[in-house]
């Protein structure tokens, strides 16, 4: 039976072949983990591509496979042509409730998927207010939602396409985390982030509950550096800001942000 990763790469190979013949092609919206695998593959076959999910900090993004004429084009003109493609394939839509109840990410996602839509047809869903979210899809799906999306968690909603400000960040909230660790090894850092003993943190690796940069790993001795994204299933998602400065006791200062 073909694995999800093999299917992803097979589809990417087909898109790359079509792009080589002159067609601008693109994938569905990919998870960060899928993007890591796809980037590795596309760089291996030297297929030019860009990633975009509707805004600069998007997590779920499409990969756009560039035909030779576009890949070799002057940057400003290339950006113009890609902008038109982005406007069709990663459109920003605002869904606003009545204001009488608080709606969560799960509420919005559930309402969209309840209409029979596959998750990869949707980009990020950004809850920017208690009764308002912005999400991303192509123009065809936008027309479908305009016709069929009437309620979210029993609350009447209205929807419209919007132009995002250039500094839109998805409304993500981060909680600063600081601690000290004996070393920048992954198990030491995970133990500090999850508030566990080193031994219990190592068990999380063995159970497949730890991802570094969106890839599962059992290697507890991997070195963690600034910019590393750590996902601990059952605990949360963190981005490492620093794990370098030494204290007088010979420990490393750990600075991170936790997604909340």
């Amino acid at each position: 039976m073909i694995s999800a990763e093999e299917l992803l790469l097979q589809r990417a190979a087909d898109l790359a072949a079509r792009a080589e013949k002159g067609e601008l092609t693109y994938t569905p919206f990919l998870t960060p983990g899928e993007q890591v695998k796809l980037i590795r593959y596309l760089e291996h076959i030297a297929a030019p591509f860009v990633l975009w999910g509707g805004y600069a900090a998007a997590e779920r993004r499409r990969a756009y496979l560039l035909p030779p004429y576009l890949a070799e084009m002057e940057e400003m003109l290339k950006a113009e042509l890609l902008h038109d493609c982005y406007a069709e394939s990663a459109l920003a839509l605002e869904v606003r409730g009545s204001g009488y109840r608080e709606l969560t990410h799960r509420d919005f996602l559930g309402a969209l998927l309840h209409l029979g839509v596959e998750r990869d047809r949707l980009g990020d869903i950004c809850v920017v207010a208690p009764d308002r979210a912005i999400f991303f899809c192509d123009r065809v799906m936008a027309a479908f939602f305009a016709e069929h999306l009437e309620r979210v968690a029993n609350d009447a909603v209205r929807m419209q396409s919007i132009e995002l400000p250039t500094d839109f960040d998805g409304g993500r909230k981060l909680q600063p985390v600081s601690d000290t660790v004996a070393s920048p090894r992954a198990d030491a850092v995970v133990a500090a982030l999850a508030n566990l003993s080193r031994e219990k943190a190592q068990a999380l690796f063995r159970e497949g509950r730890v991802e570094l940069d969106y890839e599962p790993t059992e290697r507890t001795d991997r070195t963690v550096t600034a910019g590393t994204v750590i996902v601990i299933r059952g605990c949360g998602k963190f981005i490492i800001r620093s794990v370098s400065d030494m204290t007088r006791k010979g420990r490393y200062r750990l600075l991170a942000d936790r997604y909340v």
Side-chain angles (χ1 to χ4, degrees):
M1 182 177 178
I2 188 169
S3 69
E5 180 175 349
E6 290 170 329
L7 184 59
L8 171 70
L9 300 186
Q10 283 183 9
R11 290 174 174 170
D14 175 63
L15 293 175
R18 287 162 52 192
E20 181 63 28
K21 295 178 181 178
E23 179 184 356
L24 174 57
T25 62
Y26 50 85
T27 68
F29 287 96
L30 305 172
T31 66
E34 290 170 333
Q35 292 170 45
V36 169
K37 297 177 177 67
L38 190 66
I39 289 169
R40 187 183 300 124
Y41 173 72
L42 293 177
E43 289 178 344
H44 174 70
I45 64 173
F49 69 96
V50 294
L51 296 166
W52 182 248
Y55 64 109
E59 289 198 347
R60 288 179 177 265
R61 299 182 292 178
R62 294 183 187 268
Y64 296 78
L65 286 296
L66 307 181
Y69 77 88
L70 188 55
E72 298 164 6
M73 195 173 286
E74 189 269 331
E75 287 301 320
M76 188 172 295
L77 184 55
K78 181 197 297 185
E80 261 183 56
L81 294 176
L82 284 172
H83 181 271
D84 292 340
C85 183
Y86 295 159
E88 292 296 317
S89 58
L91 182 68
L93 299 174
E94 179 189 70
V95 183
R96 188 184 290 267
S98 65
Y100 289 106
R101 64 165 295 171
E102 185 171 336
L103 299 172
T104 66
H105 182 278
R106 179 175 293 184
D107 292 329
F108 287 107
L109 177 59
L112 294 168
L113 298 185
H114 183 70
L115 296 174
V117 177
E118 296 292 332
R119 184 63 182 92
D120 64 6
R121 298 296 300 274
L122 301 169
D124 287 359
I125 300 173
C126 308
V127 180
V128 294
D131 65 338
R132 185 164 62 97
I134 293 169
F135 72 98
F136 301 83
C137 64
D138 63 34
R139 197 169 294 279
V140 172
M141 291 305 305
F144 172 82
F145 290 129
E147 181 178 355
H148 297 286
L149 184 64
E150 298 178 345
R151 308 190 75 81
V152 172
N154 293 323
D155 189 24
V157 297
R158 59 188 186 277
M159 193 187 81
Q160 64 177 350
S161 62
I162 61 170
E163 288 289 331
L164 294 176
T166 56
D167 62 349
F168 180 73
D169 63 1
R172 291 187 182 87
K173 296 179 181 178
L174 301 173
Q175 179 183 47
V177 176
S178 63
D179 207 336
T180 62
V181 292
S183 81
R185 280 175 48 123
D187 56 352
V189 172
V190 166
L193 295 175
N195 195 26
L196 296 172
S197 68
R198 191 84 164 260
E199 292 74 19
K200 290 184 177 179
Q202 290 170 347
L204 295 180
F205 285 84
R206 293 193 297 272
E207 294 164 6
R209 294 172 58 187
V210 178
E211 294 181 7
L212 267 61
D213 290 329
Y214 302 106
E215 291 195 292
T217 181
E218 293 185 5
R219 281 192 53 194
T220 58
D221 62 345
R222 280 184 56 176
T223 299
V224 173
T225 57
T228 300
V229 176
I230 299 179
V231 179
I232 308 170
R233 201 181 317 154
C235 179
K237 175 180 172 181
F238 305 81
I239 182 166
I240 303 303
R241 298 305 182 190
S242 173
V243 55
S244 56
D245 296 337
M246 298 284 287
T247 69
R248 283 182 294 180
K249 294 183 177 180
R251 293 175 65 84
Y252 291 80
R253 298 186 191 277
L254 170 65
L255 298 177
D257 285 326
R258 182 179 185 272
Y259 288 76
V260 296

